[in-house]
Amino acid sequence: MQKYSEGTRSSSIIPKALRCDASKVTLFEKLGEGAFAQVFRAEIDFGSRNGGKKPVAFKQMKESAMTGLEQGALEAELQIQARVSANPNIVKVLGAIDDEGGHGMGLILEL
C-alpha cells in the first residue's frame, strides 16, 4: 500500500474540476502496464460527507511518456473529460493528481 503526496509539477494541466488531493489516494497491486502508463487497484477517500472511501483504478503515467506532445494530448483529454457527462461507453475520470515527489502524474478512474 502506497500513499501519495501532492505535488505541483503537472498540476497546471489538470483542470480545477478534476484536481484531487493526492494524500487521499492509496495504491494497492498493479493491474496492468502499457507503453505510457501502469494501472493500479486503488482507493480514494472522498470524506464522510461525500461517500467515504471508494475503490478506483489509478493510471500512473510513465515519466518517459510525459514529453511535450504527450503532455499536450493528456491536457486536451482532461479538458474534455472535465466537461463530458456520464456515458456508459466511456470510463469516467474521477480526478487527477501529480506526485512530484516520486510517482508523477496519474488519473483516478472509476473501476
Side-chain angles (χ1 to χ4, degrees):
M1 185 171 18
Q2 296 178 7
K3 281 281 191 180
Y4 269 78
S5 61
E6 191 166 20
T8 58
R9 180 176 44 86
S10 299
S11 61
S12 62
I13 72 165
I14 302 172
K16 191 172 185 175
L18 291 177
R19 289 183 194 157
C20 289
D21 180 353
S23 68
K24 304 292 185 189
V25 178
T26 304
L27 299 185
F28 299 106
E29 74 275 5
K30 186 191 303 188
L31 300 175
E33 184 170 355
F36 300 107
Q38 50 190 357
V39 178
F40 293 87
R41 185 175 67 84
E43 180 178 79
I44 186 167
D45 187 352
F46 288 112
S48 58
R49 292 185 185 163
N50 296 314
K53 294 181 179 180
K54 179 177 181 165
V56 294
F58 183 74
K59 184 176 182 178
Q60 179 185 56
M61 308 307 291
K62 291 183 178 177
E63 207 49 51
S64 61
M66 294 305 292
T67 66
L69 182 61
E70 285 82 7
Q71 191 165 339
L74 179 61
E75 181 177 7
E77 175 72 17
L78 288 172
Q79 293 292 337
I80 291 166
Q81 283 285 345
R83 295 188 307 264
V84 163
S85 56
N87 182 311
N89 298 315
I90 298 174
V91 173
K92 185 174 182 180
V93 176
L94 302 174
I97 63 172
D98 182 30
D99 176 26
E100 187 177 357
H103 298 292
M105 171 76 182
L107 304 177
I108 300 163
L109 309 166
E110 66 183 355
L111 251 179

